[in-house]
Amino acid sequence: MRTARSHGRSPTGSRHGISSLETVAALAILTVVVGSTMPLFVRHLRLLADSRHERIATQELANLAERLASLPAAERQAVLARPPLSDLARRRLPQAGLTARREPDDRYVVAISWDSPGRSRRPLELAVWLPAAGGAPAPEAFR
């Protein structure tokens, strides 16, 4: 005579373990969840990298603006001709390029671009107003 336990059932009549159908259903649900969240995870990693690049670029621009402000007006032109790119920016920003120019209103604009979608066409810029040569004060509108 066979007992209830020999057929995989407990004495109360419930089954032990899981069936193949339950396993397949659980795997299907898991696949849908992982498949739908993976693009979000990849996008998150790209945003982190973009944010890191932009933070480095912003710091690079601020450093160059401070350097321009610390130089006498006569020496600024040499920095404008070949703005220096730091080692950190050179290592971390792919194909980074730094430019600087002086506008007619004593405004200096420094810009940085790097190899990132949309960044080459629209570089990150920072403007700083510095006194004209000879230490003359800035125009009244900018005080």
Side-chain angles (χ1 to χ4, degrees):
M1 176 173 189
R2 294 186 180 193
T3 64
R5 289 201 169 195
S6 64
H7 290 289
R9 295 185 184 269
S10 68
T12 60
S14 65
R15 293 176 34 203
H16 293 286
I18 57 174
S19 70
S20 297
L21 181 61
E22 291 168 333
T23 304
V24 170
L27 286 174
I29 291 171
L30 184 63
T31 302
V32 168
V33 169
V34 169
S36 63
T37 58
M38 198 52 115
L40 295 174
F41 181 70
V42 170
R43 178 70 179 143
H44 173 71
L45 291 178
R46 284 186 187 146
L47 286 174
L48 282 177
D50 288 347
S51 174
R52 197 174 309 120
H53 287 161
E54 198 159 316
R55 187 181 68 234
I56 291 169
T58 302
Q59 188 63 46
E60 187 73 16
L61 292 177
N63 289 343
L64 182 57
E66 285 182 29
R67 183 172 180 181
L68 285 171
S70 70
L71 290 173
E75 295 177 23
R76 290 181 190 149
Q77 192 59 38
V79 174
L80 291 177
R82 291 200 56 171
L85 191 62
S86 71
D87 290 337
L88 176 70
R90 200 174 289 115
R91 279 193 325 264
R92 299 288 174 104
L93 300 176
Q95 299 176 353
L98 192 59
T99 60
R101 67 184 186 276
R102 183 174 186 263
E103 300 290 327
D105 58 355
D106 293 331
R107 178 172 48 124
Y108 292 83
V109 178
V110 291
I112 189 168
S113 63
W114 62 94
D115 188 20
S116 179
R119 188 51 68 187
S120 305
R121 290 173 291 163
R122 205 181 69 221
L124 191 61
E125 292 185 341
L126 177 69
V128 60
W129 280 264
L130 299 174
E140 192 68 32
F142 300 114
R143 286 190 184 168

